[in-house]
Amino acid sequence: MGLAQNVIFGLVTGSYIAIAAIGFTLIYGIVNMINFAYGEYLTMGAFIGILTVGVLPLPLPLAAVVAMVGGGLISLLLARLFFTPINQTGPVPMLLTSIGLGLVLRNGIRLTAGQSARYFDTEAITFRFDGLPPLSVGSVDLLGGFFVTSEQLIVMGCAVGVFLLVHTLLTRTDVGIAMRAMGDNENLARVRGIDTQRIRDSVWVLAGVLAALAGVLLGIQTNVSAGTGFSQILQILSAAILGGAGSPYGAIAGSYVIGLVLALSTAFLPAGMTGISSAIAFLILIGVLLVKPSGLAGQEVREA
Amino acid sequence: MSVRERLFGDGERSGGSAERAFLVGGVCLLVAALLVFTPLAVTVPGSSFVFIEVGTLFVIYGLLVLGLDLQYGYTGLVNFGHVVFFAVGAYTVAMLSAEGSFAGVALGLPWLLALPVGVVAAAVLGAIVGTTSLRLRDDFLAIVTLATAEIFHTLFVNFRGVFGGNVGILGVPQPIADLAADSDTAQIATLVLFGGVTIIALGFMTRLTGSPYGRVLRAIRADELVTRSVGKSTFSYKMQAFVYGAALAGFAGGLFALYNGAVAPGFFTIQVTVTIWIGMLLGGASNHRAVLGGLAIIMGLRLLSRFALEVTPVSADAFASIRLIAVGLILVLVIRYRPAGIWGDERELGVDS
């Protein structure tokens, strides 16, 4: 496989990480917590979607909408139950609470849905582009033909749609502008008469909707099991921090960097070492935190 | 206040319990030595093996939680990758001392040499992580340490030639099992010996944190800026606490390797970190005996679920899930309703409940 093909794989991975990372980074910026249970929101969204397709027989796009609505409601409910009451205690207790909640959700899902992996039964159409000539440098093919499936196009298309919608929300609507104001300075926002609790609730709903969509896309593209969300959370987190925690646009950029690094390192590392590609993503994360802790765009996270 | 009181203050009061810990720990070591070096043998009823097994793991994790408490409970460093120091200690000792492992490096050096090298390796890693990331904000330090642990886990799994992949390193010497009369005696001797080591570590920690040095650590946790403004180099204090904790975890890892006879990535998952964190928070951070108590409760739950497994009709998998749900709920409830833990001091930790 050539470089072109792996870039496509990277863009697909980056797309669903980006959708989830926007939600993650909004929670970070506005509720001021690292939500470690966020991966489980993806899993729940995907399972709601699979359940809707399987039991109700609804077509997939409708099932995705059901999953997104369900994800938003669950996210709001969990926030009201677990995070809102301890909002004032600072980032560390909230991080620890989310770790506990993640354990509960993950094992709850495992208990009810079992260990096996599920997926959406879709018919993929594959578009091939074999016209490109290979451009070999040593054993590495720098161009080469590639293919793209309709599923991959759906994932990338959804991502672009989400970016546009989130951008419109944050710049054109009152709620979105209030979100940005709160992320910037919560006290000042409250002084200006913004109902901060209502904004926080809407952030939770938005994050839940995005997580559910990312989960459904993950289920379309590959498959989901009880552990899927947890295996994604470190990548989502890396992407969000890489882009500068709290900045949705940074998160999008960070996600595609992570996605491309994962895909390219899997392709071009010597066989037998492909498993370390996730370690490379974390290495980038640590490197960014050490060199430019504010990420590609964002605020200072160093104390001294 | 007399001069003597002013000089020793806290140190004097905690000094008593530290000496008691040294005494009890010393007696444990003596008993263990008796069991190992004399033909003395004990028999254990088969049903209590599970107690000894979990008990031995508890005293090893006890060393981890003591080190973590020095870092988080006293100094306020949110280290969410404590397992990596445990793993590095264990792997270093295993790779240096193993003979004829199935895969990976096995140098066959004497274990007495390997153990201190394991401690040093963990301390060096602690120093590297510390220099680079102790200046980060609390929650980001948690992320960096967590990511470090995940990176090492990935390396252990993927570099089969060095670390033996998923199988790990086999053929690590088990000195106690080799010396003791039979396997029952060896198990008891291991438990008593490691228990003694943990109690002595408890004594050292009590001494350390009861001294003026410990007061500086607590001051850093309470307010770093104030501590720096009275002329303490807070960074080097934080660094020392971090490295001490890492070294202690490396030591625990070495003991684990020499007890278990093998190391594999499966022993060093994020689950270990979560277990000791929950134990620490449940008992009450910044109180050495409390964190051990909290850890005992969490690991006791593991024991309980093993027995419950025999009388209930659910599968082992389902039961493991139920236990983890319970552990997660405990963590959530403790942070919400008893942020200082069961035996912790609310004023000391600066939290409201």
Side-chain angles (χ1 to χ4, degrees), chain B residues 6-278:
Chain B
R6 221 181 308 157
L7 266 179
F8 293 102
D10 288 352
E12 179 74 340
R13 256 183 286 129
S14 56
S17 70
E19 257 128 47
R20 210 161 47 236
F22 288 134
L23 192 70
V24 176
V27 171
C28 284
L29 295 192
L30 273 180
V31 172
L34 265 179
L35 285 173
V36 171
F37 292 111
T38 63
L40 211 62
V42 268
T43 36
V44 185
S47 62
S48 61
F49 269 128
V50 61
F51 286 100
I52 297 172
E53 200 187 309
V54 175
T56 310
L57 203 58
F58 164 67
V59 289
I60 293 175
Y61 282 10
L63 290 172
L64 294 183
V65 84
L66 283 174
L68 185 66
D69 189 37
L70 182 71
Q71 296 173 343
Y72 175 75
Y74 281 86
T75 324
L77 307 171
V78 189
N79 173 6
F80 227 87
H82 205 49
V83 69
V84 74
F85 306 112
F86 183 52
V88 165
Y91 265 93
T92 312
V93 170
M95 282 157 56
L96 289 178
S97 65
E99 279 178 68
S101 170
F102 172 68
V105 175
L107 296 176
L109 297 172
W111 64 269
L112 261 176
L113 181 79
L115 192 55
V117 178
V119 175
V120 171
V124 167
L125 179 66
I128 295 172
V129 175
T131 353
T132 48
S133 40
L134 279 185
R135 285 183 204 281
L136 291 172
R137 221 176 62 183
D138 286 351
D139 41 352
F140 284 86
L141 178 61
I143 298 306
V144 171
T145 46
L146 183 82
T148 311
E150 286 301 310
I151 289 172
F152 271 83
H153 191 81
T154 317
L155 295 182
F156 290 147
V157 174
N158 282 286
F159 284 85
R160 291 200 69 231
V162 185
F163 302 114
N166 274 317
V167 183
I169 309 277
L170 309 175
V172 181
Q174 293 169 285
I176 297 175
D178 294 343
L179 286 168
D182 52 45
S183 80
D184 278 16
T185 317
Q187 294 222 20
I188 291 285
T190 311
L191 177 60
V192 177
L193 176 72
F194 289 3
V197 168
T198 305
I199 294 172
I200 289 175
L202 171 68
F204 269 116
M205 281 295 173
T206 313
R207 268 280 169 81
L208 184 68
T209 52
S211 68
Y213 180 83
R215 279 204 291 277
V216 177
L217 296 186
R218 273 177 299 177
I220 293 176
R221 185 196 162 110
D223 193 327
E224 188 175 344
L225 198 62
V226 169
T227 319
R228 200 162 51 226
S229 67
V230 296
K232 303 288 181 194
S233 164
T234 53
F235 182 75
S236 69
Y237 276 92
K238 279 158 82 174
M239 187 74 190
Q240 285 162 18
F242 198 74
V243 171
Y244 290 156
L248 195 59
F251 182 59
L255 291 185
F256 176 79
L258 295 172
Y259 149 71
N260 199 41
V263 293
F267 294 118
F268 309 104
T269 59
I270 189 174
Q271 211 56 53
V272 179
T273 309
V274 171
T275 304
I276 54 176
W277 259 94
I278 295 178

Side-chain angles (χ1 to χ4, degrees), chain A residues 198-209:
Chain A
R198 198 173 63 86
I199 300 300
R200 232 178 256 131
D201 285 348
S202 29
V203 167
W204 280 113
V205 172
L206 177 60
V209 168

Side-chain angles (χ1 to χ4, degrees), chain A residues 225-239:
Chain A
S225 59
T228 299
F230 191 63
S231 64
Q232 298 290 326
I233 182 65
L234 284 170
Q235 286 161 22
I236 295 170
L237 191 149
S238 302

Side-chain angles (χ1 to χ4, degrees), chain A residues 28 32 34 36 81-82 85-86 91-93 95-97 99-101 103-104 106-108 110-111 115 230 234 237 241 245 272-279 282-283 285-286 289-290 293 300-304, chain B residues 72 78 80 132-140 142-144 146-148 150-151 154-155 158-159 224 228 238 270-271 274 277-278 281 317-322 324-329 331-332 335-336 352:
Chain A
Y28 178 81
N32 202 10
I34 291 176
F36 220 75
L81 281 176
F82 293 98
I86 58 164
V92 173
L95 170 66
L96 294 171
T97 300
I99 289 171
L101 178 63
L103 266 179
V104 173
R106 189 158 60 253
N107 288 288
R110 186 165 289 147
L111 210 55
Q115 300 271 21
F230 191 63
L234 284 170
L237 191 149
I241 292 175
M273 275 216 258
T274 50
I276 67 167
S277 59
S278 65
F282 299 140
L283 229 77
L285 166 68
I286 292 181
L289 278 177
L290 299 181
E300 187 61 36
V301 297
R302 258 193 301 214
E303 274 182 335
Chain B
Y72 175 75
V78 189
F80 227 87
T132 48
S133 40
L134 279 185
R135 285 183 204 281
L136 291 172
R137 221 176 62 183
D138 286 351
D139 41 352
F140 284 86
I143 298 306
V144 171
L146 183 82
T148 311
E150 286 301 310
I151 289 172
T154 317
L155 295 182
N158 282 286
F159 284 85
E224 188 175 344
R228 200 162 51 226
K238 279 158 82 174
I270 189 174
Q271 211 56 53
V274 171
W277 259 94
I278 295 178
L281 294 171
D317 267 353
F319 223 101
S321 295
I322 293 172
L324 290 171
I325 290 176
V327 168
L329 277 178
L331 177 60
V332 170
I335 291 170
R336 174 101 161 256
D352 307 314

Side-chain angles (χ1 to χ4, degrees), chain A residues 7-18:
Chain A
V7 168
I8 293 208
F9 287 154
L11 290 178
V12 172
T13 311
S15 293
Y16 56 75
I17 294 180

Side-chain angles (χ1 to χ4, degrees), chain A residues 256-291:
Chain A
Y256 283 106
V257 172
I258 296 274
L260 288 171
V261 167
L262 285 178
L264 295 181
S265 59
T266 310
F268 296 119
L269 278 174
M273 275 216 258
T274 50
I276 67 167
S277 59
S278 65
I280 293 176
F282 299 140
L283 229 77
I284 297 177
L285 166 68
I286 292 181
V288 167
L289 278 177
L290 299 181
V291 179

